[in-house]
Amino acid sequence: MAPTSIQIIGAALFAIAVLHTFSTKLFERLAHAHPAHAGIWHLLGEVEVVFGFWALVLVLCIFALDGSPAATAYLDSRNYTEPLFVFTIMVIAATRPVLVATRAGVRLLASVVRLPGSMGFYFTVLAVVPLLGSFITEPAAMTLGAMILSHSIFSRGLSERLKYATLGVLFVNVSIGGTLTPFAAPPVLMVAGKWHWDMAFMLSHIGWKAALAVAVNAMAVTLLFAGELAAHRPASEAEEAHVPWPLTLVHLGFLAGVVVFSHHPAVFLGLFLFFLGVAHAYGRYQERLILREGLMVAFFLAGLVVLGGQQQWWLERVLMSMSSSAVYYGATALTAVTDNAALTYLGSLVEGLSDDFKYALVTGAVTGGGLTVIANAPNPAGMAILKGHFELGTVNAAYLFLAALGPTIVAILAFRLL
């Protein structure tokens, strides 16, 4: 069937939004060059605002062409569970009790590695924390990894090259690191039930390859910047404020509850409200809750949900026109310009796919999940936490793509050759 006018407009706006994500640094420069209108330029320079802004334009177009009932009906038809969940898990995972406990675990593992300076700590963060995404979900792993890097590594002064290399490895490792289980990575979750991919299948067919690629990527970037990392000292345990262990257990309990009920907004948002009460009652053991950052990321993902709903007509045609051998590389490339869970969801709608096609589609979708900020749902969370450490307070999308290219090639070799 020929696409409708709204579908064509939606595809065009989606393309503009993708280009906008690569142009945020331009808007930041405009803000400095034109201080009288700096507010609007700063707003358009926020990566998290991009898709929400163009989603608003799409809704206005639907309103103008089809009327108010059609616009509201379309918005009501979208599923916003993922944006709400990412917001909730970001805020809880970034609290001081959870971070102190996680950093203590990372230090313990890093003490076994015994590398000079920050090398052991840095390697452990990039090799272990992304794999936690297979159990506590990828958004939680991304939040923990980004917060630990922000506090213990980035805040101590690093070169821009190392920061971009770290961000590229973190994004790729989180994207593939959630594939040890069938319930934590959104691209896998979309198909696991229908295709009967259980824990044993994931570990034996995909998970061990992903774990190997995560370790190789972490070791490669650690060795590549060994000189800088060896001379660098992470924040010590003595610098962290004490948190009573019962309060830490309560926070971990809230985190676990939100993960278990991640597909039930009424439950995890209720838990979140109780959490806010506990955090306020014991505010002396908290840093500032990252509510603003979490809301910005949720806005980004909600915009992606709204815009993404108009892309099925061309995405499905492109995917289904590929062979099982070509779909891996096609999914890897398409993931860079659309959310990877959307690709696997479209695949789950098609009957009679071969096992090779299914494997190629899912592994391709997670392989490309680190190339851009929109490629994987947790990426905006990591971006929101770490972007303040980069020049002009924003991340250059082209530099991120180049930084993630090497780790992505490692993932390709793992999934295609092993």
Side-chain angles (χ1 to χ4, degrees):
M1 294 178 61
T4 66
S5 298
I6 293 299
Q7 287 176 328
I8 294 174
I9 292 172
L13 291 176
F14 189 86
I16 293 171
V18 171
L19 292 175
H20 190 162
T21 62
F22 282 85
S23 309
T24 53
K25 206 164 187 177
L26 170 64
F27 291 100
E28 292 296 334
R29 291 198 179 100
L30 287 172
H32 287 84
H34 305 282
H37 302 285
I40 188 64
W41 296 126
H42 277 304
L43 180 67
L44 294 175
E46 295 278 359
V47 173
E48 296 88 346
V49 170
V50 172
F51 275 83
F53 174 79
W54 292 107
L56 172 62
V57 176
L58 172 64
V59 172
L60 292 176
C61 289
I62 299 175
F63 183 92
L65 294 177
D66 296 336
S68 174
T72 54
Y74 176 69
L75 288 175
D76 288 340
S77 70
R78 302 294 88 204
N79 185 345
Y80 302 100
T81 299
E82 187 172 56
L84 292 171
F85 170 74
V86 171
F87 163 71
T88 303
I89 205 73
M90 270 189 71
V91 176
I92 298 177
T95 54
R96 188 199 297 173
V98 176
L99 286 172
V100 168
T102 306
R103 277 197 290 261
V106 169
R107 286 196 190 94
L108 181 62
L109 293 173
S111 66
V112 178
V113 179
R114 293 185 179 278
L115 292 174
S118 293
M119 289 179 67
F121 184 88
Y122 178 84
F123 168 77
T124 305
V125 172
L126 291 179
V128 175
V129 175
L131 296 181
L132 292 178
S134 290
F135 306 97
I136 64 172
T137 73
E138 288 184 347
M142 177 68 80
T143 302
L144 286 171
M147 289 296 292
I148 292 172
L149 288 171
S150 176
H151 174 270
S152 301
I153 303 293
F154 279 37
S155 63
R156 301 270 157 160
L158 295 175
S159 66
E160 283 293 288
R161 289 180 63 244
L162 178 50
K163 290 176 186 177
Y164 274 105
T166 303
L167 194 63
V169 171
L170 178 66
F171 279 14
V172 173
N173 278 7
V174 168
S175 181
I176 63 178
T179 58
L180 277 66
T181 64
F183 58 80
V188 177
L189 183 64
M190 290 292 181
V191 301
K194 183 173 182 179
W195 292 348
H196 307 292
W197 286 8
D198 57 12
M199 180 84 75
F201 177 89
M202 291 303 301
L203 284 172
S204 61
H205 288 78
I206 299 176
W208 71 271
K209 302 175 185 179
L212 179 61
V214 165
V216 170
N217 285 336
M219 182 55 71
V221 72
T222 302
L223 294 178
L224 183 62
F225 292 93
E228 187 172 350
L229 290 170
H232 177 275
R233 296 287 175 184
S236 65
E237 188 175 359
E239 296 177 44
E240 295 180 347
H242 171 70
V243 178
W245 66 265
L247 185 61
T248 299
L249 291 179
V250 169
H251 278 63
L252 293 177
F254 276 117
L255 187 69
V258 170
V259 169
V260 170
F261 294 101
S262 59
H263 304 296
H264 304 279
V267 179
F268 69 68
L269 286 176
L271 288 172
F272 181 66
L273 293 176
F274 280 113
F275 158 77
L276 290 178
V278 172
H280 178 73
Y282 295 92
R284 62 188 179 279
Y285 298 114
Q286 298 285 357
E287 307 293 349
R288 179 185 67 86
L289 298 180
I290 60 169
L291 294 171
R292 178 187 178 277
E293 293 85 345
L295 285 171
M296 292 286 284
V297 170
F299 182 62
F300 177 96
L301 294 175
L304 190 56
V305 167
V306 173
L307 272 179
Q310 297 294 338
Q311 314 310 316
Q312 181 174 349
W313 66 273
W314 66 268
L315 273 175
E316 189 170 7
R317 293 178 186 179
V318 172
L319 278 179
M320 296 307 112
S321 67
M322 298 179 184
S323 64
S324 58
S325 57
V327 73
Y328 174 84
Y329 299 101
T332 300
L334 285 171
T335 289
V337 295
T338 187
D339 182 58
N340 53 14
L343 296 182
T344 59
Y345 170 72
L346 292 176
S348 71
L349 301 178
V350 181
E351 301 294 338
L353 296 178
S354 68
D355 290 340
D356 288 342
F357 191 100
K358 294 175 183 177
Y359 171 86
L361 176 62
V362 173
T363 53
V366 299
T367 296
L371 292 170
T372 64
V373 68
I374 65 172
N376 194 30
N379 290 358
M383 181 81 78
I385 293 167
L386 292 173
K387 67 179 182 179
H389 295 287
F390 289 82
E391 183 184 352
L392 295 179
T394 187
V395 174
N396 184 294
Y399 292 167
L400 170 62
F401 180 86
L402 293 174
L405 204 54
T408 300
I409 291 173
V410 172
I412 291 173
L413 296 175
F415 287 130
R416 300 306 293 173
L417 298 183
L418 298 180

